[in-house]
């Protein structure tokens, strides 16, 4: 990409950020760090407790342990596995079923009942379930935040 004239690059999957810290020092191009952008957005929002939905790894590690300004909480017990399984199935085929959407919405409401001020869509594909839907809680959409960071980085070049 650098040889073709690219000046910056981005790992466009939140899941792909699991190894971003190892990639940064070896990348021939500067990288737009999606998780740093999400962390900055959360800090700016002032929210202190946020529910997280995404892959099992994203939920288990609370977005790779990268958010210090707020507590991230994941679904509990059986719901944790249901969300992880529904996310993987949805992302694998690129569309969401009504049953998968209901799992995400139910998990979001449960997280809000546990004190979350918003629900983080910690997976790039979660827009499939939430776009244009009435779900009843505030969202922190990691993909939207990352896209904005990529756009801003491209403007400064």
């Amino acid at each position: 990409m650098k040889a073709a004239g690219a000046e910056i690059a981005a790992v466009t999957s939140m899941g792909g950020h699991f190894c971003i810290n190892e990639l940064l020092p070896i990348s021939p191009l500067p990288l737009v760090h999606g998780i740093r952008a999400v962390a900055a957005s959360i800090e700016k929002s002032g929210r202190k407790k946020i529910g997280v939905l995404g892959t099992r790894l994203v939920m288990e590690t609370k977005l790779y342990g990268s958010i210090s300004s707020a507590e991230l909480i994941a679904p509990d017990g059986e719901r944790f596995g249901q969300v992880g399984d529904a996310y993987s199935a949805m992302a694998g085929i690129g569309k969401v079923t009504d049953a998968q959407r209901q799992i995400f919405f139910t998990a979001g409401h449960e997280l809000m009942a546990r004190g979350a001020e918003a629900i983080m869509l910690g997976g790039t594909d979660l827009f499939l379930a939430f776009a244009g839907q009435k779900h009843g809680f505030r969202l922190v959409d990691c993909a939207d935040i990352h896209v904005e960071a990529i756009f801003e980085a491209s403007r400064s070049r």
Side-chain angles (χ1 to χ4, degrees):
M1 291 185 336
K2 185 174 184 174
E7 296 177 10
I8 59 172
V11 176
T12 58
S13 161
M14 294 317 294
H17 278 73
F18 77 95
C19 63
I20 193 77
N21 292 328
E22 291 77 18
L23 180 59
L24 284 167
I26 63 171
S27 176
L29 292 168
L31 295 173
V32 179
H33 196 307
I35 293 178
R36 286 185 188 156
V38 170
S41 177
I42 290 171
E43 185 169 5
K44 184 178 178 182
S45 78
R47 293 186 180 114
K48 296 299 178 194
K49 192 171 190 177
I50 299 173
V52 61
L53 303 176
T55 66
R56 288 174 184 263
L57 184 60
V58 164
M59 293 187 297
E60 185 176 275
T61 63
K62 314 292 193 310
L63 197 60
Y64 313 116
S66 62
I67 308 299
S68 60
S69 65
E71 174 189 5
L72 298 188
I73 58 172
D76 282 334
E78 189 177 298
R79 185 75 65 212
F80 179 93
Q82 290 172 344
V83 169
D85 291 347
Y87 181 83
S88 293
M90 175 192 68
I93 61 171
K95 63 181 181 178
V96 65
T97 66
D98 289 338
Q100 291 162 340
R101 181 177 285 116
Q102 190 57 50
I103 289 169
F104 301 136
F105 286 15
T106 299
H109 285 287
E110 289 170 354
L111 290 166
M112 295 298 288
R114 289 174 44 206
E117 298 169 73
I119 301 301
M120 174 188 288
L121 302 184
T124 307
D125 303 289
L126 279 166
F127 78 93
L128 293 168
F130 287 86
Q133 300 292 314
K134 294 185 181 197
H135 39 73
F137 40 80
R138 289 189 174 145
L139 295 178
V140 175
D141 189 336
C142 291
D144 281 351
I145 294 167
H146 194 200
V147 166
E148 181 66 26
I150 293 166
F151 174 71
E152 289 301 322
S154 72
R155 289 181 47 190
S156 67
R157 297 287 170 191

